Amino acid sequence: MKAFILPSIIAAVAAEQAAWGQCGGSGWTGETTCVVGYTCQVSNEWYSQCVPGNAAPSASTTLETVVASSTAAPVPTKIAAAAISKADGTKFNIDGVTKYYAGTNSYWIGFLTNDNDVDNIMSQLQSSGLKILRVWGFNDVKSIPGSGTVYFQSFSGSTATINTGANGLQRLDVVVKAAEKYGIKLVINFVNNWTDYGGMAAYFSACGINSNEQWYQAAKCQTMYQNYIKSVISRYRTSTAVFAWELANEPRCKGCATSVLTSWIRKTSDYIRSLDSDHMITAGDEGFGLAGDGSYPYQFGEGINWEDNLALPNISFGTFHLYPQSWSVSNSFGNGWVTAHAKICQKLNKPCLFEEYGVTNAADHCPVESEWQKMSLAAKESGMAGDLFWQLGVTIKSTGQQTHNDGHTIYYGSSDWKCLVDNHVKNIG
């Protein structure tokens, strides 16, 4: 794309859309004039966006900017329309079929170093009928690890360096290619709220901050983050394996006004849309901040207003997670949690993805989680579009060792797998 401008202060704007914001499209009722330096460009029938160009100047606009040096134009799509996963009302359409879909999560698959292991896992997913796999598209470090250790981005001093080598994004290339081969669709996210695999905290020293809450509003952090986003999207922009781009894993802004996260989600999703006019975009949050029983998950203390965020024009579907033990609620809490989100998705006519869920006690895996699956599937006519259990467990073929068991792991071929995968896929039909 052309050099982009990230506004940090926009004041006294009269009837003008912000940089990278939506400015037109079928059904659009918002502003159609862009701020100074931007012009409204048509992407497709449904979406036009404010991009750098010769827009007429406006004396009433004050704009403070940070410029990232990038001159490459967005890569044109080469994907057949039928191969692009998309939202179809409150359902997902994959490969031309609109229905409810099941899948899982694997944070670790992009860090495997044996191509055949990745291929074998994708083959197992295909044979099981699981269609969506959520993977970590990030792996950030603050110092270069030992030889052969996989990492995707490193920070040193005030700079960030993206690793495109054999122990870098080429490992994610293997995952994408295997997904293409077996028809698996990937949710790829860009940063972690938590410190696992670096997360937002890996950026702190490089951009002069000390908290996640500051990270969302620090212009230098956001420039680095957007540069990383651009690098990943440019690699897989035309892949048939991409289901959706995800802003972060479980973003939170504890104690913040909800406007902080809503503004960040808007700016980031608008930026992603400027790079890719085809694929879906989602926030990746846990679903906090909505009307309910007043218990912690329904509260707004983590800086999230779920409905406001889902209503943003470039957020394609909503995500929510469920971990009763971590949230100090009962297992039965899950049924109401599913239906509360489905209700909002139905209201906004966007799909809901039950993106992570699990209980720690192995004896509860089948009886508890299968009930949540049934509730989600039952709500497919009122907002629910799919579910991804946390997390995938397999035996690595090259080593004979099992992948990480965090207490929630469901291993391929186990009795829990038969309950939560085989039976669930059969029920979906």
Side-chain angles (χ1 to χ4, degrees):
M1 56 167 290
K2 300 176 183 178
F4 68 84
I5 300 178
L6 175 66
S8 56
I9 300 176
I10 299 176
V13 178
E16 292 178 324
Q17 181 56 283
W20 303 113
Q22 185 174 2
C23 55
S26 179
W28 174 249
T29 59
E31 302 302 338
T32 57
T33 301
C34 301
V35 296
V36 62
Y38 285 72
T39 188
C40 190
Q41 177 177 291
V42 175
S43 296
N44 54 48
E45 177 184 350
W46 301 274
Y47 187 76
S48 298
Q49 183 173 40
C50 290
V51 299
N54 297 320
S58 169
S60 63
T61 301
T62 302
L63 183 64
E64 210 173 272
T65 64
V66 174
V67 178
S69 57
S70 173
T71 57
V75 179
T77 181
K78 298 178 182 177
I79 316 171
I84 300 172
S85 301
K86 53 184 173 289
D88 185 0
T90 58
K91 299 288 185 301
F92 291 130
N93 182 290
I94 298 178
D95 296 333
V97 179
T98 296
K99 57 176 284 188
Y100 184 105
Y101 287 94
T104 186
N105 291 264
S106 173
Y107 73 86
W108 43 262
I109 194 168
F111 313 147
L112 297 178
T113 56
N114 185 304
D115 295 6
N116 291 331
D117 288 334
V118 176
D119 188 271
N120 184 59
I121 292 163
M122 290 295 182
S123 175
Q124 291 173 343
L125 292 176
Q126 182 193 55
S127 66
S128 299
L130 296 177
K131 194 66 175 177
I132 305 171
L133 179 66
R134 180 168 171 256
V135 301
W136 275 195
F138 58 83
N139 189 348
D140 302 311
V141 298
K142 291 185 284 186
S143 60
I144 304 299
S147 177
T149 302
V150 176
Y151 71 96
F152 296 163
Q153 182 174 218
S154 63
F155 296 87
S156 177
S158 60
T159 63
T161 302
I162 297 168
N163 180 12
T164 59
N167 66 333
L169 286 174
Q170 288 181 35
R171 299 314 310 158
L172 194 56
D173 293 349
V174 173
V175 173
V176 172
K177 290 298 183 184
E180 291 174 352
K181 178 180 177 181
Y182 291 101
I184 304 300
K185 307 302 180 180
L186 303 174
V187 177
I188 301 176
N189 50 27
F190 299 117
V191 72
N192 202 359
N193 172 69
W194 312 106
T195 57
D196 304 271
Y197 298 95
M200 295 173 190
Y203 288 71
F204 289 179
S205 294
C207 46
I209 62 168
N210 56 29
S211 72
N212 285 19
E213 290 73 29
Q214 294 174 340
W215 185 88
Y216 294 106
Q217 301 178 83
K220 187 172 182 180
C221 291
Q222 292 306 301
T223 296
M224 290 176 169
Y225 168 63
Q226 289 191 351
N227 283 342
Y228 183 71
I229 288 173
K230 181 187 174 189
S231 181
V232 174
I233 290 179
S234 69
R235 296 180 81 87
Y236 312 124
R237 170 71 176 85
T238 60
S239 172
T240 58
V242 175
F243 180 75
W245 307 116
E246 186 166 274
L247 275 58
N249 174 53
E250 300 186 334
R252 297 183 182 186
C253 194
K254 193 173 183 66
C256 299
T258 59
S259 59
V260 173
L261 270 181
T262 299
S263 176
W264 171 75
I265 292 169
R266 176 187 288 275
K267 289 176 182 178
T268 307
S269 60
D270 287 351
Y271 175 64
I272 293 171
R273 183 57 70 218
S274 76
L275 301 175
D276 183 349
S277 60
D278 294 315
H279 292 108
M280 293 187 288
I281 304 168
T282 194
D285 65 283
E286 295 154 280
F288 299 148
L290 67 163
D293 63 11
S295 60
Y296 159 70
Y298 284 104
Q299 295 174 20
F300 296 80
E302 299 293 351
I304 297 169
N305 184 314
W306 199 75
E307 182 171 350
D308 283 358
N309 296 343
L310 180 57
L312 294 172
N314 283 320
I315 294 298
S316 309
F317 60 89
T319 63
F320 64 95
H321 300 179
L322 176 58
Y323 295 104
Q325 289 88 346
S326 298
W327 298 352
S328 299
V329 295
S330 67
N331 290 337
S332 61
F333 168 91
N335 288 342
W337 187 242
V338 170
T339 56
H341 289 87
K343 182 178 180 180
I344 294 174
C345 282
Q346 185 178 38
K347 174 183 175 182
L348 297 177
N349 195 36
K350 292 185 178 182
C352 265
L353 180 63
F354 191 7
E355 189 180 58
E356 286 189 29
Y357 57 90
V359 290
T360 304
N361 185 354
D364 289 337
H365 286 167
C366 180
V368 173
E369 295 177 37
S370 65
E371 288 303 310
W372 296 342
Q373 289 178 336
K374 291 174 185 176
M375 178 60 66
S376 183
L377 185 55
K380 66 181 181 180
E381 301 306 324
S382 57
M384 292 307 304
D387 66 90
L388 317 179
F389 67 85
W390 182 276
Q391 66 166 322
L392 172 65
V394 302
T395 299
I396 299 296
K397 190 173 183 179
S398 66
T399 65
Q401 296 179 334
Q402 288 190 326
T403 55
H404 177 225
N405 186 357
D406 62 357
H408 304 95
T409 307
I410 309 299
Y411 284 97
Y412 177 75
S414 67
S415 59
D416 283 338
W417 185 275
K418 293 176 182 177
C419 171
L420 298 175
V421 177
D422 295 344
N423 290 347
H424 187 39
V425 168
K426 181 178 179 180
N427 288 336
I428 291 171

